[in-house]
Amino acid sequence: MPTVEELYRNYGILADATEQVGQHKDAYQVILDGVKGGTKEKRLAAQFIPKFFKHFPELADSAINAQLDLCEDEDVSIRRQAIKELPQFATGENLPRVADILTQLLQTDDSAEFNLVNNALLSIFKMDAKGGLFSQILQGEDIVRERAIKFLSTKLKTLPDEVLTKEVEELILTESKKVLEDVTGEEFVLFMKILSGLKSLQTVSGRQQLVELVAEQADLEQTFNPSDPDCVDRLLQCTRQAVPLFSKNVHSTRFVTYFCEQVLPNLSTLTTPVEGLDIQLEVLKLLAEMSSFCGDMEKLETNLRKLFDKLLEYMPLPPEEAENGENAGNEEPKLQFSYVECLLYSFHQLGRKLPDFLTAKLNAEKLKDFKIRLQYFARGLQVYIRQLRLALQGKTGEALKTEENKIKVVALKITNNINVLIKDLFHIPPSYKSTVTLSWKPVQKVEIGQKRASEDTTSGSPPKKSTAGPKRDARQIYNPPSGKYSSNLSSFNYEQRGAFRGSRGGRGWGARGNRSRGRLY
């Protein structure tokens, strides 16, 4: 094994040889043998090996293996030095191998080492984005795969345009499609983040491609199984990814049709994939958001009727009154405003496509029944709107930021929205002209003098920026107290949300996966 002095001497020989350095193979071999020495020798070898690597192609394998030995050394300072120099080996046909090695090194638990690996990988990605990342994602160990995906999701957006060319983006899309054949929910969300950030997919056709990818993941060709939490979870995850992609040019028709035909009839029997999640409200909110961008639907009348029938379930008839004018029953029907906002909004959006549904497609008795329900609901609605306005009157700034008042503000949005939509349906004939912003969506402001965008942002459309999913604390459910004139405003309820299930026995939400990963997402 060479000593420190021998290493310096042979380094000098190579450094002084300038253009004839390739003729001193023996000197370079001495430096390679330095990896077998002590700590000082190894540190020098970690620096000297990459410096002259390009001059000895016949020793490339030996040099890379020697550097790799140093990357796995017990001494952390030696490992860090060796990792830092790895990009210098990424030349020609060696690049994929070095990228592969670095991707495997992502499994380190040392934070400084992990940052070095990230920086080295980024350097290689800038040299050639076709490196070995995707091979490790497809074939590597779980932790390597996981960290490689996270590397892509966080680092791609930092790359300059001259690196992230159209050709590179096409490669990323092609390789991502291979990975998406077998993914966990968490991995799917990360890949949607990666793909939706690519410049080439910002166009209408690009967004359409992404929607088709999501639809394939969602298994929209399969019969929906409401009792299978994996099936329910997959549909929720995929639909959340699809919602930000929809627009006036990228239609949600396929998803809306599936929800109307397969999900709404099974709404009450849905198995929640996570404890505490109001799965029915979650589904209805997604349907409402998508309904704004539904295109021409083949079975519009049939699906509108299913939506109408589901709406009736949440719009009770007024209770029968006894002869003395008191309620003959024990209690008033409970008005579930959060559910009704979603269903009424969805019905209002799809109803625009068949405006004579209520007058021509329903018999007179059914229409009369519906108007009685609307009238009863509207009457209770006015009571709660007055109560809420009174409770919030004079409150500004910090006072509105308390949890109780935040919920009341959302509740006021919900009830006002329902009020506007009910007024539309009371017109003769029913009107579908009003626009409202769904209570959980941010209000989009239009600048003075600016033409209103062709995609109406006040109609509950999703924001253009792609997100991995809704904020966990962004949605509240408002179930006002039952009773005709109750003033008990204390029964505002949070919608419970939590992490989605993992440990599915395979990556692809249960039976779709081939390898066990057991991720929590």
Side-chain angles (χ1 to χ4, degrees), residues 179-192:
V179 178
L180 287 172
E181 292 175 7
D182 182 19
V183 288
T184 65
E186 182 185 22
E187 290 170 346
F188 172 63
V189 170
L190 286 174
F191 265 98
M192 288 307 299

Side-chain angles (χ1 to χ4, degrees), residues 37 59 383 505:
L59 292 175
V383 173

Side-chain angles (χ1 to χ4, degrees), residues 113-126:
E113 205 170 307
F114 181 75
N115 289 334
L116 283 171
V117 173
N118 266 272
N119 292 335
L121 261 179
L122 195 57
S123 298
I124 290 179
F125 209 86
K126 287 177 181 178

Side-chain angles (χ1 to χ4, degrees), residues 222-361:
Q222 299 297 317
T223 302
F224 182 66
N225 182 359
S227 62
D228 180 3
D230 287 341
C231 181
V232 175
D233 193 21
R234 181 171 65 244
L235 183 63
L236 288 182
Q237 287 272 20
C238 291
T239 307
R240 287 195 192 105
Q241 295 306 308
V243 164
L245 302 171
F246 297 133
S247 68
K248 69 182 184 70
N249 295 315
V250 181
H251 294 157
S252 59
T253 314
R254 195 173 170 193
F255 280 84
V256 173
T257 299
Y258 190 83
F259 270 59
C260 289
E261 292 180 352
Q262 301 269 349
V263 185
L264 279 183
N266 297 298
L267 191 67
S268 61
T269 60
L270 290 177
T271 302
T272 181
V274 59
E275 187 179 352
L277 176 70
D278 187 338
I279 187 66
Q280 295 182 42
L281 182 61
E282 186 74 6
V283 164
L284 293 179
K285 284 185 171 183
L286 289 170
L287 175 60
E289 291 192 53
M290 293 189 294
S291 64
S292 304
F293 301 118
C294 185
D296 295 333
M297 186 183 286
E298 280 186 25
K299 301 176 182 178
L300 178 58
E301 183 181 339
T302 302
N303 289 329
L304 198 54
R305 191 174 295 275
K306 288 178 180 177
L307 189 53
F308 176 78
D309 290 343
K310 186 58 63 175
L311 175 61
L312 290 185
E313 291 181 23
Y314 293 94
M315 298 199 75
L317 285 165
E320 294 182 8
E321 293 186 351
E323 290 182 3
N324 60 3
E326 294 295 325
N327 185 353
N330 292 326
E331 61 178 37
E332 295 280 345
K334 189 173 184 179
L335 306 182
Q336 298 190 27
F337 288 166
S338 294
Y339 288 57
V340 170
E341 179 197 16
C342 299
L343 285 163
L344 200 55
Y345 181 89
S346 300
F347 178 77
H348 193 268
Q349 292 293 317
L350 296 188
R352 291 175 178 175
K353 301 178 180 301
L354 192 63
D356 65 346
F357 175 80
L358 289 175
T359 53
K361 307 299 180 182

Side-chain angles (χ1 to χ4, degrees), residues 54 107 231 233 259 381 386 388 413 440-441 457 491:
K54 64 183 180 181
Q107 62 190 300
C231 181
D233 193 21
F259 270 59
L381 196 66
R386 284 196 298 271
L388 288 164
K413 288 181 183 178
W440 62 91
K441 304 294 291 182
T457 54
S491 36

